Amino acid sequence: MRNKDILEQMTPYKPGKRIDDVKNDYGLNRIVKLASNENPYGCSDQVYTYMAGATIPYHFYPDGYASELRKTLASKWHVSEKQLLFGAGTDEIVQMIARAFLYPGANTVMAAPTFPQYKHGAWIEGAEVTEVPLIDGYHDLSGMLDAIDDRTTVVWLCSPNNPTGCAIPENDFYTFMNACPSDVLVVLDEAYYEYMSKDADPHVLNNLDKYDNLIVLRTFSKAYGLAGLRVGYGIASESLIKKLDVIRGPFNVSSLAQEAASVAIQDNVFLEQTLQNTHAIKNSFEHFLDTIGWQYYDSETNFLLISTPISGTRVHQHLLENGFIVKAGEDIGAPRTIRVTIGEENDMEDMKGVLRQMNGKLDKE
């Protein structure tokens, strides 16, 4: 078969170990998954209540326009319904952008390390990828501007960034936007937007009408706890959304996902409780890391990227054997680190004990 040559050089996305597999491999009864930045508190009870009584006609295709969810989000963010685009998670919207704006001979600029699907999509479309290393976990926006040339069609900004958790400062973002060529699409991926502190919020939607070359991505997978249903969205100018809508599959967001998202986004009590719990437990875990002398990056998210005294792979393995699934930095372009999702309080306390014991053994080596 004649396929794109690049497919022979790439590998499929490799998800983390399944909980049941870890139990079987290590003879454990209890596993705490802290590798994928999911919400440990699940989703709103209102979602479960609604779904228990919902009679969704599954034999019909979903509403391809996501009408009710579209109305809800347009009202919430004070944008036109025509400024919204929906995907099966923001991952699908990243694919749409790559398919629409990247091609052989084009160049795309991104930070390194950052969310890997930007590069993945670019390679599949045959585009050249220019990576600009982070500075202390933050985007080097000056370096990214310097990397833009007359072949650049897309720049990816992940804020807060995955895997470091660092958010682009507001003034720096607008300085970048004002200097970026207007014919270059800027993708601002705010998957962790809800977790950002008020001081870190650049209030991009208030200024969206100033930048026809900007699209903002957000998701229901993180703070809203709907990762298993796959629903994300993009907000941009009507003209940009119209182009991307040509790429979008006709029924790409399931009926169940649309209904759940419409309910979830209206439960502010659940969201606020999630944020309060996450911030408090993250602060406690940061204090613990300070006491054992392990460094970590400034995070405006529900995870921490932690520098480790030995390889992240070794720390990951030790935690795995003790019932904690985290992400080894070597797997995400950040050697000698681990990325840890902030879990529930009792789980994080247990993890502190495992790391404290491990750190004590390392001190004696």
Side-chain angles (χ1 to χ4, degrees):
M1 294 184 293
R2 299 179 182 179
N3 55 262
K4 293 180 178 180
D5 292 341
I6 191 65
L7 299 182
E8 308 299 334
Q9 305 170 39
M10 299 174 67
T11 56
Y13 175 78
K14 184 179 179 180
K17 278 182 168 288
R18 294 173 60 251
I19 289 176
D20 287 344
D21 290 340
V22 176
K23 285 182 178 180
N24 293 332
D25 289 347
Y26 299 100
L28 300 170
N29 295 319
R30 174 176 171 269
I31 301 297
V32 180
K33 186 184 177 188
L34 302 172
S36 300
N37 306 334
E38 296 144 329
N39 188 338
Y41 307 105
C43 67
S44 165
D45 286 341
Q46 293 182 22
V47 172
Y48 290 115
T49 300
Y50 178 84
M51 291 304 170
T55 54
I56 298 173
Y58 292 117
H59 57 296
F60 290 141
Y61 286 110
D63 174 4
Y65 194 63
S67 302
E68 292 305 314
L69 181 56
R70 184 178 297 272
K71 290 178 183 177
T72 300
L73 288 175
S75 175
K76 179 178 179 62
W77 298 123
H78 306 291
V79 298
S80 163
E81 292 181 22
K82 295 181 180 179
Q83 289 182 266
L84 289 161
L85 176 76
F86 294 93
T90 52
D91 299 41
E92 188 189 20
I93 301 179
V94 168
Q95 290 179 341
M96 294 181 207
I97 292 168
R99 190 175 180 190
F101 292 96
L102 297 176
Y103 44 84
N107 167 262
T108 183
V109 176
M110 63 193 68
T114 193
F115 185 52
Q117 293 305 108
Y118 309 150
K119 185 195 296 186
H120 188 91
W123 277 350
I124 289 175
E125 300 304 329
E128 175 188 285
V129 174
T130 299
E131 296 180 286
V132 179
L134 300 170
I135 298 178
D136 297 327
Y138 288 84
H139 284 61
D140 176 7
L141 295 182
S142 294
M144 295 181 79
L145 281 172
D146 290 341
I148 295 173
D149 59 28
D150 57 4
R151 297 177 300 112
T152 303
T153 57
V154 181
V155 174
W156 306 87
L157 304 178
C158 187
S159 183
N161 186 48
N162 181 6
T164 60
C166 301
I168 297 171
E170 182 175 2
N171 289 339
D172 293 351
F173 172 75
Y174 288 110
T175 298
F176 176 88
M177 287 303 304
N178 292 331
C180 183
S182 60
D183 62 347
V184 173
L185 175 62
V186 178
V187 183
L188 178 63
D189 188 344
E190 291 189 323
Y192 298 91
Y193 172 78
E194 287 77 14
Y195 289 103
M196 282 199 295
S197 62
K198 292 182 179 179
D199 291 340
D201 184 358
H203 306 288
V204 175
L205 298 187
N206 294 342
N207 298 285
L208 195 61
D209 59 348
K210 298 178 182 177
Y211 306 105
D212 288 337
N213 63 325
L214 174 65
I215 183 169
V216 180
L217 306 186
R218 292 183 182 172
T219 185
F220 285 89
S221 295
K222 304 304 180 184
Y224 289 102
L226 300 181
L229 291 178
R230 313 307 299 127
V231 54
Y233 59 101
I235 311 175
S237 66
E238 291 185 20
S239 60
L240 178 53
I241 293 297
K242 186 176 181 180
K243 292 177 182 177
L244 289 171
D245 219 15
V246 174
I247 304 295
R248 182 183 62 83
F251 306 108
N252 61 326
V253 180
S254 73
S255 300
L256 184 62
Q258 291 181 39
E259 297 280 359
S262 296
V263 174
I265 202 164
Q266 298 181 67
D267 188 352
N268 292 323
V269 173
F270 170 80
L271 180 62
E272 286 304 315
Q273 193 62 60
T274 286
L275 302 182
Q276 289 177 18
N277 290 344
T278 302
H279 291 151
I281 296 169
K282 182 172 70 173
N283 288 341
S284 173
F285 197 67
E286 289 174 340
H287 176 70
F288 161 74
L289 294 171
D290 291 338
T291 64
I292 65 171
W294 287 26
Q295 302 298 310
Y296 48 89
Y297 289 84
D298 298 328
S299 175
E300 291 284 347
T301 67
N302 67 332
F303 64 83
L304 286 173
L305 185 67
I306 303 165
S307 297
T308 52
I310 55 176
S311 77
T313 301
R314 282 184 59 190
V315 178
H316 163 267
Q317 182 62 32
H318 179 77
L319 287 169
L320 199 63
E321 293 169 3
N322 284 273
F324 294 89
I325 307 175
V326 302
K327 199 76 169 180
E330 282 76 5
D331 294 338
I332 51 178
R336 292 180 72 95
T337 67
I338 53 172
R339 193 191 66 193
V340 178
T341 305
I342 303 302
E344 295 186 82
E345 184 173 12
N346 290 341
D347 292 334
M348 297 306 290
E349 289 298 320
D350 290 345
M351 185 176 175
K352 288 177 186 178
V354 174
L355 289 177
R356 185 181 291 110
Q357 181 184 46
M358 180 183 192
N359 193 57
K361 292 180 178 179
L362 292 174
D363 288 342
K364 295 177 182 179
E365 290 183 359

